[in-house]
Amino acid sequence: MVGGGQLARMTHEAGIPLGIRFKLLSASPQDSAALVAGDVVVGDHRDLDTLRAFAKGCDVITFDHEHVPTEHLRVLEAEGIPVRPGPAALVHAQDKGVMRARLTRLGVPCPRHRIVEDPADVRRFAETEAGGFPVVLKTVRGGYDGKGVWIVASAADADRVTEPFLAGVPVLAEEKVDFVRELAANVVRSPHGQAVAYPVVESVQAGGVCDTVIAPAPGLPAETAVAAQEMALTVARELEVTGHLAVELFETADGRVLVNELAMRPHNSGHWTQDGAVTSQFANHVRAVLDLPLGDPRPRAPWTVMANVLGGDFPDMYPAFLHCMARDPQLKIHMYGKDVKPGRKVGHVTTYGDDLADVRERARHAADYLRGIIDE
Ligand code: ADP
């Protein structure tokens, strides 16, 4: 796996009972997965020779992030190394412009959008194509957790928001969708073409970062949920995705579901599956990239809630950790081994059961307590 973050750490963990030998290319020996994996190469994933040397002896290469240059992956593939997902699929998770164009051709509902050249073009897009301001600007590559996304509130604002045009990559403008909530439809597909769909979840964001995930999305009509799952399976099939595909969605007040973006790797909206589904997203990602039969994606309980633990102002989480374990023995805690820095994702908790309000409160309490924003 290329990339040493927490996704690699948890993918490694999921491969152990399957007897999978795991090799890691990590940017630093201190990265979350590098701290626990036995076979770690420290190197730069943007360097082709490093990737080539790393790939020697691997049966398959997969990723914990989207940042390996597409052209390097094409070279590896041309040299006979199985890359999953392959570059032809992965480019849709790397480049939002390519993704929007392809999904639109497939008839998948997306916000109105186009590539814009400069602030004057943003005004034209807003006034003639997007139904007015506000609009959203995104650099097509390099964004994550809300970085690389700007809201342009008005025509006057269009002249002020020049930063995206300085990044040296194309800028995508989108209508600002007036969504009621964000959802995710997560599926896993193998090279054989076998695919499974997890229940559609609600993903609650705070400050551009995923905060809480509720599985399944409360109150989502069954036909909307099934349509979203089918759409995600169609995207996986048409783009020939191998591994886990997260389709991030906006749900609108009139019941429509639009695609925000795609991720082709285990995803934060799927962490709940570690404890809440028969087979986790990590185990199914491993199975898929190795072309093994996939595991059952169904939930184990009526409700599962995942809450991210963000770093707070207290670098020492240990006392809070003890408290949370003692307070709620049913709580599942997943820490990533990362140094605590304010706002950084350092772990997550999950809870599951029959009563959504109770499950949600317990997950929320533990995440807030670990962060240090409550103390009782
Ligand atoms: P990133 O790659 O940083 O995750 P996203 O494209 O997912 O960027 O955007 C981050 C957040 O910005 C989304 O979760 C959503 O809350 C908001 N956002 C993005 N695009 C739109 C849009 N077209 N309309 C309304 N909100 C948007």
Side-chain angles (χ1 to χ4, degrees):
M1 191 167 227
V2 179
Q6 63 263 22
L7 301 177
R9 181 179 170 112
M10 294 184 276
T11 304
H12 172 36
E13 178 191 7
I16 292 170
L18 300 175
I20 308 302
R21 278 183 50 210
F22 185 88
K23 185 173 169 185
L24 183 72
L25 177 61
S26 182
S28 132
Q30 301 309 323
D31 283 358
S32 179
L35 294 171
V36 296
D39 191 355
V40 182
V41 175
V42 175
D44 185 348
H45 55 260
R46 294 164 303 185
D47 179 63
L48 180 57
D49 289 335
T50 303
L51 288 166
R52 271 200 181 114
F54 171 72
K56 268 207 190 86
C58 291
D59 295 310
V60 56
I61 303 285
T62 189
F63 312 95
D64 119 318
H65 58 62
E66 303 49 57
H67 307 315
V68 181
T70 326
E71 59 274 17
H72 291 357
L73 297 177
R74 288 196 199 104
V75 173
L76 294 183
E77 206 173 44
E79 291 174 357
I81 296 158
V83 176
R84 295 181 185 147
L90 193 64
V91 69
H92 301 91
Q94 296 179 313
D95 187 308
K96 291 175 183 179
V98 173
M99 177 269 292
R100 283 277 178 254
R102 183 71 185 274
L103 294 188
T104 303
R105 282 203 303 280
L106 287 174
V108 171
C110 291
R112 285 174 283 186
H113 63 273
R114 79 168 161 82
I115 300 292
V116 287
E117 302 300 332
D118 52 34
D121 202 19
V122 175
R123 287 200 301 274
R124 275 194 296 278
F125 169 75
E127 282 153 13
T128 62
E129 293 164 57
F133 287 95
V135 296
V136 179
L137 300 184
K138 301 176 176 184
T139 48
V140 295
R141 281 178 179 257
Y144 66 96
D145 282 352
K147 297 177 184 70
V149 176
W150 293 261
I151 309 282
V152 181
S154 63
D157 214 16
D159 292 320
R160 282 194 290 271
V161 184
T162 51
E163 203 186 332
F165 297 102
L166 304 175
V169 292
V171 177
L172 180 71
E174 297 182 353
E175 72 173 294
K176 184 166 185 300
V177 179
D178 190 16
F179 57 84
V180 287
R181 59 178 172 172
E182 296 189 52
L183 306 172
N186 292 340
V187 298
V188 185
R189 183 179 173 277
S190 73
H192 256 85
Q194 191 193 6
V196 295
Y198 286 101
V200 176
V201 298
E202 175 175 349
S203 149
V204 184
Q205 313 280 315
V209 179
C210 174
D211 181 75
T212 307
V213 170
I214 307 169
L220 188 68
E223 60 273 20
T224 311
V226 169
Q229 287 177 312
E230 282 175 351
M231 186 259 283
L233 289 168
T234 301
V235 170
R237 187 184 64 239
E238 293 296 322
L239 271 47
E240 297 186 43
V241 177
T242 42
H244 187 266
L245 168 71
V247 183
E248 296 181 20
L249 302 165
F250 298 130
E251 185 188 10
T252 63
D254 56 3
R256 288 179 309 135
V257 167
L258 306 175
V259 172
N260 175 25
E261 65 169 344
L262 308 178
M264 293 179 198
R265 50 172 170 74
H267 190 255
N268 204 164
S269 64
H271 289 0
W272 69 275
T273 60
Q274 284 176 307
D275 304 305
V278 176
T279 314
S280 77
Q281 63 162 347
F282 301 103
N284 262 337
H285 184 76
V286 169
R287 288 173 180 232
V289 300
L290 290 165
D291 210 7
L292 299 169
L294 301 180
D296 188 341
R298 283 177 295 180
R300 294 184 202 233
W303 299 105
T304 303
V305 173
M306 186 284 327
N308 277 334
V309 178
L310 301 183
D313 295 330
F314 307 103
D316 181 10
M317 278 194 178
Y318 191 64
F321 191 61
L322 290 184
H323 172 87
C324 289
M325 281 188 187
R327 181 182 190 265
D328 185 354
Q330 288 174 28
L331 183 73
K332 301 288 186 179
I333 305 179
H334 302 262
M335 300 303 287
Y336 308 152
K338 297 181 359 185
D339 288 339
V340 175
K341 289 190 193 145
R344 188 182 202 198
K345 288 179 190 170
V346 293
H348 65 269
V349 295
T350 68
T351 49
Y352 53 89
D354 300 333
D355 178 351
L356 175 58
D358 170 66
V359 167
R360 197 172 179 174
E361 199 287 319
R362 283 166 39 225
R364 189 68 271 143
H365 178 279
D368 288 349
Y369 200 97
L370 285 164
R371 190 176 186 179
I373 56 179
I374 55 170
D375 62 4
E376 57 182 311

Coordinates of all heavy atoms in Angstrom, one line a residue, residues 66 93 96 99-100 110-113 134-139 142-151 172-179 182 203 205 207-210 248-250 258-262 265 267, ligand 1:
E66 N -4.8 9.7 -2.7 CA -4.9 9.9 -4.2 C -3.7 10.5 -4.8 O -3.7 11.0 -6.0 CB -6.0 10.8 -4.6 CG -7.4 10.7 -4.3 CD -7.9 10.5 -2.9 OE1 -7.6 11.3 -2.0 OE2 -8.6 9.5 -2.7
A93 N -10.8 10.1 -9.1 CA -10.7 10.6 -7.7 C -9.6 11.6 -7.5 O -9.5 12.2 -6.4 CB -10.4 9.3 -6.8
K96 N -11.0 16.5 -10.1 CA -12.4 16.8 -10.0 C -13.0 17.2 -11.3 O -14.2 17.0 -11.6 CB -12.7 17.8 -8.9 CG -12.4 17.3 -7.5 CD -12.6 18.4 -6.4 CE -12.2 17.8 -5.1 NZ -12.3 18.7 -4.0
M99 N -13.6 13.9 -13.2 CA -14.7 13.2 -12.6 C -16.0 13.8 -13.0 O -16.9 13.1 -13.4 CB -14.5 13.3 -11.0 CG -15.5 12.7 -10.2 SD -16.8 13.9 -9.7 CE -16.0 15.0 -8.6
R100 N -16.1 15.2 -12.9 CA -17.4 15.8 -13.3 C -17.8 15.5 -14.8 O -19.0 15.2 -15.1 CB -17.3 17.3 -13.1 CG -17.4 17.7 -11.7 CD -18.9 17.8 -11.2 NE -19.0 18.2 -9.8 CZ -19.3 17.4 -8.8 NH1 -19.6 16.1 -9.0 NH2 -19.4 17.8 -7.6
C110 N -25.0 15.6 -11.0 CA -23.9 16.4 -10.3 C -24.4 17.8 -10.2 O -25.3 18.2 -10.9 CB -22.7 16.4 -11.2 SG -21.9 14.8 -11.3
P111 N -23.8 18.6 -9.3 CA -24.1 20.1 -9.4 C -23.7 20.6 -10.7 O -22.8 20.1 -11.4 CB -23.2 20.6 -8.3 CG -22.7 19.5 -7.5 CD -22.8 18.3 -8.4
R112 N -24.4 21.7 -11.2 CA -24.0 22.4 -12.4 C -22.6 22.9 -12.2 O -22.2 23.4 -11.2 CB -24.9 23.6 -12.7 CG -26.3 23.1 -13.2 CD -27.3 24.2 -13.4 NE -27.8 24.6 -12.1 CZ -28.8 25.5 -11.9 NH1 -29.3 26.1 -13.0 NH2 -29.2 25.8 -10.7
H113 N -21.8 22.7 -13.3 CA -20.3 23.0 -13.1 C -19.7 23.3 -14.4 O -20.2 23.0 -15.5 CB -19.7 21.7 -12.6 CG -19.8 20.6 -13.5 ND1 -20.9 19.7 -13.6 CD2 -19.0 20.1 -14.5 CE1 -20.8 18.8 -14.5 NE2 -19.6 19.1 -15.1
P134 N -24.6 32.2 -4.4 CA -23.2 31.8 -4.3 C -22.8 30.7 -5.3 O -23.6 29.9 -5.6 CB -23.0 31.4 -2.9 CG -24.3 31.0 -2.4 CD -25.3 31.8 -3.2
V135 N -21.5 30.6 -5.6 CA -20.9 29.4 -6.3 C -19.7 29.0 -5.5 O -19.2 29.7 -4.7 CB -20.6 29.7 -7.8 CG1 -21.8 30.1 -8.6 CG2 -19.5 30.8 -7.9
V136 N -19.3 27.7 -5.9 CA -18.2 27.1 -5.2 C -17.0 27.0 -6.2 O -17.3 26.6 -7.3 CB -18.6 25.7 -4.6 CG1 -17.4 25.0 -4.0 CG2 -19.8 25.8 -3.7
L137 N -15.8 27.3 -5.8 CA -14.6 27.1 -6.7 C -13.8 26.0 -6.0 O -13.6 26.0 -4.8 CB -13.8 28.4 -6.8 CG -14.5 29.6 -7.4 CD1 -13.4 30.7 -7.6 CD2 -15.1 29.3 -8.8
K138 N -13.2 25.2 -6.9 CA -12.4 24.1 -6.4 C -11.2 23.9 -7.3 O -11.4 23.9 -8.5 CB -13.1 22.7 -6.4 CG -14.4 22.7 -5.6 CD -15.1 21.3 -5.7 CE -16.3 21.3 -4.8 NZ -16.9 20.0 -4.8
T139 N -10.0 23.8 -6.8 CA -8.9 23.4 -7.6 C -9.1 21.9 -8.0 O -9.6 21.1 -7.1 CB -7.5 23.5 -6.9 OG1 -7.7 22.9 -5.6 CG2 -7.2 25.0 -6.7
G142 N -5.5 18.2 -5.7 CA -4.7 18.6 -4.5 C -5.5 19.0 -3.3 O -5.0 19.2 -2.3
G143 N -6.9 19.0 -3.4 CA -7.7 19.4 -2.2 C -8.0 18.2 -1.3 O -7.9 17.1 -1.7
Y144 N -8.2 18.5 0.0 CA -8.7 17.5 0.9 C -9.2 18.2 2.1 O -8.8 19.3 2.4 CB -7.6 16.5 1.3 CG -6.5 17.1 2.1 CD1 -6.5 17.1 3.5 CD2 -5.4 17.8 1.5 CE1 -5.5 17.7 4.3 CE2 -4.5 18.5 2.2 CZ -4.5 18.4 3.6 OH -3.5 19.0 4.3
D145 N -10.2 17.5 2.8 CA -10.8 18.1 4.0 C -11.1 19.6 3.9 O -10.9 20.4 4.8 CB -9.9 17.9 5.2 CG -9.9 16.5 5.7 OD1 -10.7 15.7 5.3 OD2 -9.1 16.1 6.6
G146 N -11.7 19.9 2.7 CA -12.2 21.3 2.5 C -11.1 22.3 2.1 O -11.4 23.4 1.8
K147 N -9.8 21.8 2.1 CA -8.7 22.7 1.6 C -8.8 22.6 0.1 O -9.0 21.5 -0.5 CB -7.4 22.3 2.1 CG -7.3 22.4 3.6 CD -5.9 21.9 4.1 CE -5.8 21.9 5.6 NZ -6.7 20.9 6.2
G148 N -8.7 23.7 -0.6 CA -8.9 23.7 -2.0 C -10.4 23.9 -2.5 O -10.7 23.6 -3.6
V149 N -11.2 24.4 -1.5 CA -12.6 24.7 -1.8 C -12.9 26.2 -1.3 O -12.5 26.5 -0.2 CB -13.6 23.8 -1.1 CG1 -15.0 24.2 -1.3 CG2 -13.3 22.3 -1.6
W150 N -13.4 27.0 -2.2 CA -13.7 28.4 -1.8 C -15.2 28.7 -2.2 O -15.7 28.2 -3.2 CB -12.9 29.4 -2.6 CG -11.4 29.4 -2.3 CD1 -10.7 30.2 -1.4 CD2 -10.4 28.5 -2.8 NE1 -9.4 29.9 -1.4 CE2 -9.2 28.8 -2.2 CE3 -10.4 27.4 -3.7 CZ2 -8.0 28.1 -2.5 CZ3 -9.3 26.7 -4.0 CH2 -8.1 27.1 -3.4
I151 N -15.9 29.4 -1.3 CA -17.2 29.9 -1.6 C -17.2 31.3 -2.1 O -16.5 32.2 -1.5 CB -18.1 29.8 -0.3 CG1 -18.0 28.5 0.4 CG2 -19.6 30.2 -0.7 CD1 -18.8 27.4 -0.2
L172 N -12.4 24.5 -11.0 CA -13.7 24.1 -11.3 C -14.7 24.9 -10.6 O -14.5 25.1 -9.4 CB -13.9 22.6 -10.9 CG -15.2 21.9 -11.1 CD1 -15.5 21.6 -12.6 CD2 -15.3 20.6 -10.3
A173 N -15.7 25.5 -11.3 CA -16.8 26.2 -10.6 C -18.0 25.3 -10.5 O -18.3 24.6 -11.5 CB -17.1 27.5 -11.3
E174 N -18.7 25.4 -9.4 CA -20.0 24.6 -9.2 C -21.0 25.5 -8.6 O -20.7 26.4 -7.8 CB -19.7 23.4 -8.3 CG -18.7 22.4 -8.8 CD -18.6 21.2 -7.9 OE1 -19.1 21.2 -6.8 OE2 -17.9 20.3 -8.3
E175 N -22.3 25.2 -9.0 CA -23.4 25.8 -8.3 C -23.2 25.4 -6.8 O -22.8 24.3 -6.5 CB -24.7 25.4 -8.8 CG -25.0 23.9 -8.4 CD -26.4 23.5 -8.8 OE1 -27.4 24.0 -8.2 OE2 -26.5 22.6 -9.7
K176 N -23.6 26.3 -5.9 CA -23.6 25.9 -4.4 C -24.9 25.2 -4.1 O -25.9 25.8 -4.1 CB -23.4 27.1 -3.5 CG -23.2 26.7 -2.1 CD -22.7 27.9 -1.2 CE -22.5 27.4 0.2 NZ -23.7 26.9 0.9
V177 N -24.8 23.9 -3.9 CA -26.0 23.1 -3.7 C -26.5 23.4 -2.3 O -25.8 23.4 -1.3 CB -25.6 21.6 -3.8 CG1 -26.9 20.8 -3.5 CG2 -25.0 21.3 -5.2
D178 N -27.8 23.7 -2.2 CA -28.5 24.0 -1.0 C -28.9 22.7 -0.3 O -30.1 22.3 -0.3 CB -29.7 24.9 -1.3 CG -30.2 25.4 0.0 OD1 -29.6 25.4 1.1 OD2 -31.4 25.9 0.0
F179 N -27.9 21.9 0.1 CA -28.2 20.5 0.6 C -28.7 20.5 2.0 O -28.4 21.4 2.8 CB -27.0 19.6 0.4 CG -25.8 20.0 1.1 CD1 -25.6 19.7 2.4 CD2 -24.8 20.7 0.4 CE1 -24.4 20.1 3.1 CE2 -23.6 21.1 1.1 CZ -23.4 20.8 2.4
E182 N -25.2 15.7 4.0 CA -24.3 14.9 3.2 C -24.5 13.4 3.5 O -24.6 13.0 4.6 CB -22.9 15.4 3.4 CG -22.8 16.9 2.9 CD -21.3 17.4 2.9 OE1 -20.5 16.8 2.3 OE2 -21.1 18.5 3.5
S203 N -23.2 11.6 6.7 CA -21.9 12.1 7.1 C -22.1 13.6 7.5 O -22.4 14.4 6.8 CB -20.9 11.9 5.9 OG -19.9 12.8 5.9
Q205 N -20.5 17.0 8.7 CA -19.3 17.7 8.6 C -19.2 18.8 9.6 O -20.2 19.5 9.8 CB -19.1 18.2 7.2 CG -19.4 17.3 6.1 CD -18.3 16.3 5.8 OE1 -17.1 16.7 5.7 NE2 -18.6 15.0 5.6
G207 N -16.7 22.2 10.0 CA -15.5 23.0 9.5 C -14.8 22.3 8.4 O -13.6 22.3 8.3
G208 N -15.6 21.6 7.5 CA -15.0 21.0 6.3 C -14.4 19.6 6.6 O -13.8 19.0 5.7
V209 N -14.5 19.2 7.8 CA -13.9 17.9 8.2 C -15.1 17.0 8.7 O -16.0 17.4 9.4 CB -12.9 18.0 9.3 CG1 -12.3 16.7 9.8 CG2 -11.8 19.0 9.0
C210 N -15.0 15.7 8.3 CA -16.0 14.7 8.7 C -16.0 14.6 10.2 O -14.9 14.4 10.8 CB -15.7 13.4 8.1 SG -16.8 12.0 8.6
E248 N -19.4 10.4 -2.3 CA -19.9 11.4 -1.4 C -21.1 12.2 -2.1 O -20.9 12.6 -3.3 CB -18.8 12.4 -1.1 CG -17.6 11.8 -0.3 CD -16.6 12.9 0.0 OE1 -16.9 14.1 0.0 OE2 -15.4 12.5 0.3
L249 N -22.2 12.3 -1.4 CA -23.4 12.8 -2.0 C -24.0 14.0 -1.2 O -23.8 14.1 0.0 CB -24.5 11.7 -1.9 CG -24.1 10.4 -2.6 CD1 -25.0 9.3 -2.2 CD2 -24.1 10.6 -4.1
F250 N -24.7 14.8 -1.9 CA -25.5 15.9 -1.3 C -27.0 15.5 -1.4 O -27.4 15.1 -2.5 CB -25.4 17.2 -2.0 CG -24.0 17.8 -2.0 CD1 -23.4 18.2 -3.1 CD2 -23.3 17.9 -0.8 CE1 -22.1 18.8 -3.1 CE2 -22.0 18.5 -0.8 CZ -21.4 18.9 -1.9
L258 N -27.2 14.3 -5.3 CA -26.2 14.7 -6.3 C -24.8 14.2 -5.8 O -24.5 14.2 -4.6 CB -26.1 16.2 -6.4 CG -27.4 17.0 -6.7 CD1 -27.2 18.5 -6.7 CD2 -27.9 16.6 -8.1
V259 N -23.9 13.9 -6.8 CA -22.6 13.5 -6.4 C -21.7 14.7 -6.1 O -21.7 15.6 -6.8 CB -21.9 12.6 -7.5 CG1 -20.5 12.3 -7.2 CG2 -22.7 11.3 -7.6
N260 N -21.0 14.7 -4.9 CA -20.0 15.7 -4.6 C -18.7 15.2 -5.1 O -18.1 15.8 -6.1 CB -19.9 15.9 -3.1 CG -18.8 16.9 -2.8 OD1 -18.4 17.7 -3.6 ND2 -18.3 16.8 -1.6
E261 N -18.2 14.1 -4.6 CA -16.9 13.6 -5.1 C -16.7 12.1 -4.9 O -17.5 11.5 -4.2 CB -15.7 14.4 -4.6 CG -15.4 14.3 -3.1 CD -14.1 14.9 -2.7 OE1 -13.2 15.1 -3.6 OE2 -13.9 15.1 -1.5
L262 N -15.7 11.6 -5.5 CA -15.4 10.1 -5.4 C -14.0 9.9 -4.6 O -13.1 10.7 -4.8 CB -15.2 9.5 -6.8 CG -16.3 9.7 -7.8 CD1 -16.0 9.1 -9.1 CD2 -17.6 9.2 -7.3
R265 N -10.5 4.3 -2.2 CA -9.7 3.8 -1.1 C -10.7 3.7 0.0 O -11.8 4.2 0.0 CB -8.6 4.7 -0.8 CG -9.1 6.2 -0.6 CD -8.1 7.1 -0.1 NE -8.5 8.5 -0.2 CZ -9.4 9.0 0.6 NH1 -10.0 8.3 1.6 NH2 -9.8 10.3 0.5
H267 N -12.5 4.9 3.3 CA -12.9 6.3 3.4 C -13.5 6.5 4.8 O -14.0 5.6 5.4 CB -14.0 6.6 2.4 CG -14.3 8.0 2.2 ND1 -15.5 8.5 2.7 CD2 -13.7 9.0 1.6 CE1 -15.6 9.8 2.4 NE2 -14.5 10.1 1.8
Ligands
ADP1 P1 -12.4 18.0 -0.4 O1 -11.7 17.4 -1.6 O2 -11.6 19.0 0.3 O3 -13.1 16.9 0.5 P2 -15.1 18.6 -1.4 O4 -15.3 18.7 -2.8 O5 -15.6 17.3 -0.7 O6 -13.6 18.9 -1.0 O7 -15.8 19.8 -0.6 C1 -15.6 20.0 0.8 C2 -17.0 20.4 1.4 O8 -17.4 21.7 0.7 C3 -18.1 19.5 1.1 O9 -18.1 18.4 2.1 C4 -19.3 20.4 1.2 O10 -19.7 20.6 2.5 C5 -18.8 21.7 0.6 N1 -19.1 21.7 -0.9 C6 -18.3 21.2 -1.9 N2 -18.9 21.4 -3.1 C7 -20.1 22.0 -2.9 C8 -21.2 22.4 -3.7 N3 -21.1 22.3 -5.0 N4 -22.2 23.0 -3.1 C9 -22.3 23.1 -1.7 N5 -21.3 22.8 -0.9 C10 -20.2 22.2 -1.5

